[in-house]
Amino acid sequence: MSAGFLSRISLRQDASVQAIARLLVPQGESNQHKAAHHLLWVLFGDTPDRKRDFLWRQTDPGCFLVLSAREPVDTHGLFDIESQVFAPRLKDGSRLGFMLRANATLDRKCEGRTRSKRHDIVMDALYHIPKEQRAHARDGVVQQAITSWLLRQGQRTGFALQPDALSVQGCDVLRVAREAGQSKATFGVVNVTGALCVTDPTLFVPALMHGFGRAKAFGCGLMLIRRAL
């Protein structure tokens, strides 16, 4: 199992960087996530054809946690960076607490189409509930939908979720502007904390590096883990 790097990254507070901070970190969550998608590439885009090999999560405007295959390199002097090697020593039966921000989706075949259509798991679950009942049922639907999704993730990536420990911290819709003339990219974001038991570390550690769910370019998919007490 290859190691990576877990880094705490923030824009420097000196005057030269703060003078352009409003450009680098615009106001509004969706604008910040679009900007961060490009901003963090400064640390990893060493060649024009480089593929993204890092996950990130914004903790505050201009502050990020980043899990990467390569150590970030700040050639422009924009950031304060604290990095450490990420090589968790896990075994079958290791118990962990986790925090995850995810764009959780499912693919469903549609009649008359050759390709499956992607659905947000929460919106898909709410769709089958009468409109007048959705507001009342929302919290329970979100809990059940993300629990089922994480159970499926665990089956293929080497962990067993402890459903009773799962807590949904927030469920929102993020709209990120695209190029001029195109509609905004819209996707659901769920923030959860919970506990799990590792069943196959040879699958689980690479899955941590790859991330969970979609919209990873926009700050989703990074699962942060800690040893359970």
Side-chain angles (χ1 to χ4, degrees):
M1 293 178 284
S2 59
F5 295 89
L6 183 61
S7 305
R8 194 176 296 273
I9 298 172
S10 59
L11 281 176
R12 287 170 46 193
Q13 294 299 307
D14 60 273
S16 62
V17 175
Q18 289 303 304
I20 57 172
R22 286 292 183 91
L23 299 175
L24 301 177
V25 186
Q27 300 219 342
E29 185 179 15
S30 62
N31 291 331
Q32 287 173 11
H33 279 72
K34 180 184 178 182
H37 165 61
H38 298 290
L39 180 62
L40 291 172
W41 264 111
V42 171
L43 302 172
F44 299 101
D46 53 346
T47 61
D49 58 348
R50 171 68 72 178
K51 302 296 183 182
R52 182 183 54 77
D53 56 357
F54 63 92
L55 303 165
W56 63 274
R57 177 189 180 114
Q58 179 171 273
T59 55
D60 286 301
C63 301
F64 312 93
L65 288 173
V66 178
L67 180 62
S68 58
R70 295 169 293 127
E71 189 170 5
V73 177
D74 182 14
T75 58
H76 299 282
L78 294 174
F79 302 94
D80 289 323
I81 302 175
E82 299 176 16
S83 292
Q84 62 184 38
V85 174
F86 180 80
R89 297 181 180 179
L90 303 176
K91 60 183 179 180
D92 186 355
S94 293
R95 297 186 177 277
L96 305 171
F98 71 87
M99 179 170 62
L100 173 66
R101 177 179 172 90
N103 169 230
T105 64
L106 57 84
D107 292 333
R108 179 174 289 124
K109 291 184 178 180
C110 299
E111 186 176 352
R113 298 181 59 173
T114 56
R115 289 188 175 184
S116 299
K117 188 174 181 181
R118 187 174 302 160
H119 298 268
D120 174 85
I121 60 166
V122 173
M123 297 304 296
D124 183 73
L126 287 172
Y127 177 79
H128 300 285
I129 297 175
K131 289 184 179 180
E132 63 275 13
Q133 299 177 23
R134 290 177 187 173
H136 178 73
R138 182 177 175 81
D139 289 348
V141 167
V142 171
Q143 184 80 20
Q144 183 176 2
I146 193 65
T147 297
S148 298
W149 182 77
L150 281 169
L151 287 169
R152 294 193 299 272
Q153 295 292 309
Q155 289 173 356
R156 69 175 185 81
T157 61
F159 72 87
L161 179 72
Q162 297 180 22
D164 292 344
L166 186 69
S167 175
V168 177
Q169 306 297 311
C171 180
D172 302 296
V173 175
L174 192 64
R175 295 177 175 87
V176 178
R178 294 191 282 195
E179 300 301 324
Q182 294 183 333
S183 60
K184 290 184 177 181
T186 303
F187 48 88
V189 176
V190 180
N191 290 291
V192 296
T193 60
L196 59 82
C197 179
V198 177
T199 57
D200 187 342
T202 64
L203 292 176
F204 182 61
V205 174
L208 290 173
M209 297 297 301
H210 180 70
F212 297 88
R214 300 186 182 276
K216 296 166 189 170
F218 298 105
C220 295
L222 172 58
M223 178 183 283
L224 299 169
I225 57 172
R226 57 176 174 77
R227 296 280 181 180
L229 298 178

